[in-house]
Amino acid sequence: MTEKEKSYAEMLYQPGDPELAADREETVRKLYDYNRIHPLDRAARQAAIRNILGKTGENCVVEQPLFCTYGYNTTVGDNFFMNVNCKLMDSGKITIGDNVFIAPNVCIITEEHAMDVQQRLEGLEYTHPVHIGNNVWICTGALILPGVTIGAGSIIGAGSVVTKDIPPDSLAVGNPCRVIRKLNRDRTDSAQPEAL
């Protein structure tokens, strides 16, 4: 198996592999250009983000600056909005559904260093995919850790550290992030961003 295939299989792999290192360098070049496009040049931004991410749906808006490890390991659905200064640590797969809002300073992480000291010193790591369902809102400064699934219709409160799966239609907050109540889709939820 290649090191990339090992990473997708959630096996211990070497990110210093020449193929992966070259891919990261190419992503750095693309991000350098993307983050310097004039913010009002929407057509250029759309074309550039489609060349960075693995797949984008219709009406995809990613504000600048953006950081990602590879870009091509992240796919997003329709009506996607990601605000400023977000980080997609996508050595593993990040799959994001339709109608997802991501607030500023959110970090989605798929990488995990080895627990064994010698393996860690050798630079070895694992990846665990992250899945975010349709109609999710992730509030400012949240950290989404490796291997997490966030169910459709959920809201993740500001500053939360999501270490475990969040079921659909949940309001979840805190460090570690915990469900505090179910969301009722039959009414307009009264929670304001400041309360999250």
Side-chain angles (χ1 to χ4, degrees), residues 79-115:
N79 305 314
F80 176 70
F81 179 78
M82 177 177 279
N83 216 318
V84 298
N85 202 36
C86 287
K87 298 172 181 68
L88 301 170
M89 310 301 291
D90 66 342
S91 293
K93 301 285 189 178
I94 298 174
T95 305
I96 301 174
D98 297 334
N99 310 311
V100 172
F101 293 177
I102 298 180
N105 300 311
V106 168
C107 188
I108 303 173
I109 306 160
T110 65
E111 297 100 344
E112 177 183 13
H113 294 293
M115 297 291 283

Side-chain angles (χ1 to χ4, degrees), residues 173-187:
V173 302
N175 179 9
C177 190
R178 291 187 174 93
V179 175
I180 60 172
R181 70 176 170 90
K182 295 297 284 182
L183 296 171
N184 185 342
R185 286 190 180 188
D186 297 331
R187 64 175 173 80

Side-chain angles (χ1 to χ4, degrees), residues 114-122:
M115 297 291 283
D116 178 80
V117 172
Q118 187 56 45
Q119 291 176 337
R120 194 163 60 248
L121 292 174
E122 293 170 11

Side-chain angles (χ1 to χ4, degrees), residues 34-57:
Y34 180 74
N35 288 327
R36 282 157 182 77
I37 296 171
H38 194 288
L40 297 181
D41 191 346
R42 292 176 182 88
R45 287 175 58 190
Q46 283 287 313
I49 202 66
R50 290 182 188 280
N51 191 39
I52 293 170
L53 300 183
K55 175 187 164 292
T56 61

Side-chain angles (χ1 to χ4, degrees), residues 24-74:
R24 288 193 304 274
E25 286 184 8
E26 179 61 22
T27 301
V28 168
R29 292 185 185 95
K30 290 178 180 180
L31 289 171
Y32 181 88
D33 292 340
Y34 180 74
N35 288 327
R36 282 157 182 77
I37 296 171
H38 194 288
L40 297 181
D41 191 346
R42 292 176 182 88
R45 287 175 58 190
Q46 283 287 313
I49 202 66
R50 290 182 188 280
N51 191 39
I52 293 170
L53 300 183
K55 175 187 164 292
T56 61
E58 296 299 317
N59 191 28
C60 172
V61 177
V62 177
E63 299 291 0
Q64 302 142 299
L66 167 69
F67 175 84
C68 51
T69 309
Y70 293 96
Y72 59 64
N73 285 330
T74 298

